């Protein structure tokens, strides 16, 4: 039996397929707000369905994807890590603020953690509003606040094997780290919000 057929049979029997069990999934939800961190590939349809409302005249979606270069350097993939409980709380706080400030009907923010290959989405932010103006501005502000405040960090792994840790906001190349690694025995990482370079 193929893996797909096996997973379909498990789903028919009410079981969660093993692949889905192995994927990290953490979320917070309340009426009109859903925030989530997941290691699974992101699903635009699922996110849009979370914000649909018969009262909405506008649905706005931002999809952040992994590009193949940074400063003309070929990127192999991105890898995200998060302080999960803090990141979810911050995403919920941002969502509440944006919903109120822009008079939105619903908001959904889903951020991927773990490895994200070239061309795949790392973050989806969707908002619903009565009119396009508040939805457009609310979605853009939500994105900027997520990048500024959410406790998520990314490593850009380049094709040549070099890697750079960055905070989730846009930024320049990280700061070089000596060959000794860091306190936790890793190859480098984020120290007090400072970007560091991993060789």
């Amino acid at each position: 039996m193929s893996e797909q057929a096996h997973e379909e049979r498990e789903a028919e029997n009410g079981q969660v397929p093993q692949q889905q069990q192995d994927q990290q999934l953490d979320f917070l939800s309340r009426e009109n707000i859903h925030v989530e961190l997941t290691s699974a590939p992101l699903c635009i349809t699922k996110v849009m369905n979370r914000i649909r409302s018969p009262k909405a005249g506008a649905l706005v979606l931002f999809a952040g994807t992994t590009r193949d270069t940074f400063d003309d350097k070929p990127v192999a993939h991105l890898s995200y890590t998060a302080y999960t409980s803090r990141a979810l709380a911050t995403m919920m706080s941002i969502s509440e603020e944006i919903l109120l400030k822009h008079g939105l009907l619903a908001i959904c923010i889903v951020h991927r953690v773990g490895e994200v290959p070239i061309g795949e989405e790392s973050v989806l932010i969707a908002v619903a509003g009565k009119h396009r103006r508040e939805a457009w501005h609310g979605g853009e502000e939500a994105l900027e606040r997520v990048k500024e405040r959410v406790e998520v960090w990314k490593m850009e792994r380049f094709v040549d094997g070099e890697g750079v840790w960055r905070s989730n906001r846009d930024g320049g190349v990280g700061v070089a780290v000596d060959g000794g690694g860091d306190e936790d025995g890793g190859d480098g990482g984020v120290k007090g919000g400072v970007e560091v370079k991993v060789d």
Side-chain angles (χ1 to χ4, degrees), residues 125-186:
I125 298 175
V127 300
K130 290 182 182 176
H131 305 285
R132 69 180 178 270
R133 183 179 199 92
E134 63 255 25
W136 196 262
H137 291 296
E140 182 177 26
E141 187 171 344
L143 169 65
E144 295 307 322
R145 289 195 188 184
V146 164
K147 291 182 78 63
E148 289 170 5
R149 294 177 39 199
V150 175
E151 295 82 359
V152 172
W153 300 271
K154 66 181 172 184
M155 178 198 272
E156 286 182 325
R157 181 61 71 182
F158 299 107
V159 173
D160 66 7
E162 181 183 349
V164 178
W165 278 105
R166 302 180 195 282
S167 61
N168 203 21
R169 67 187 185 283
D170 294 328
V173 174
V175 177
V177 173
D178 65 16
D182 58 26
E183 303 85 47
D184 67 3

Side-chain angles (χ1 to χ4, degrees), residues 34-70:
H34 180 85
V35 298
E36 183 177 320
L37 295 172
T38 181
S39 60
L42 304 185
C43 178
I44 290 171
T45 302
K46 183 178 171 185
V47 167
M48 294 302 285
N49 286 340
R50 288 193 177 277
I51 64 162
R52 289 190 192 284
S53 166
K55 296 177 181 176
L59 304 178
V60 172
L61 170 74
F62 171 81
T65 60
T66 301
R67 61 181 176 263
D68 63 358
T69 58
F70 181 82

Side-chain angles (χ1 to χ4, degrees), residues 26-41:
D26 292 291
F27 67 91
L28 295 175
S29 262
R30 58 164 250 214
E31 186 178 356
N32 303 330
I33 297 175
H34 180 85
V35 298
E36 183 177 320
L37 295 172
T38 181
S39 60

Side-chain angles (χ1 to χ4, degrees), residues 13-32:
N13 294 329
Q15 298 172 332
V16 177
Q18 184 63 42
Q19 181 181 6
Q20 290 178 8
Q21 289 176 11
D22 293 342
Q23 294 171 337
Q24 176 184 343
L25 175 66
D26 292 291
F27 67 91
L28 295 175
S29 262
R30 58 164 250 214
E31 186 178 356
N32 303 330

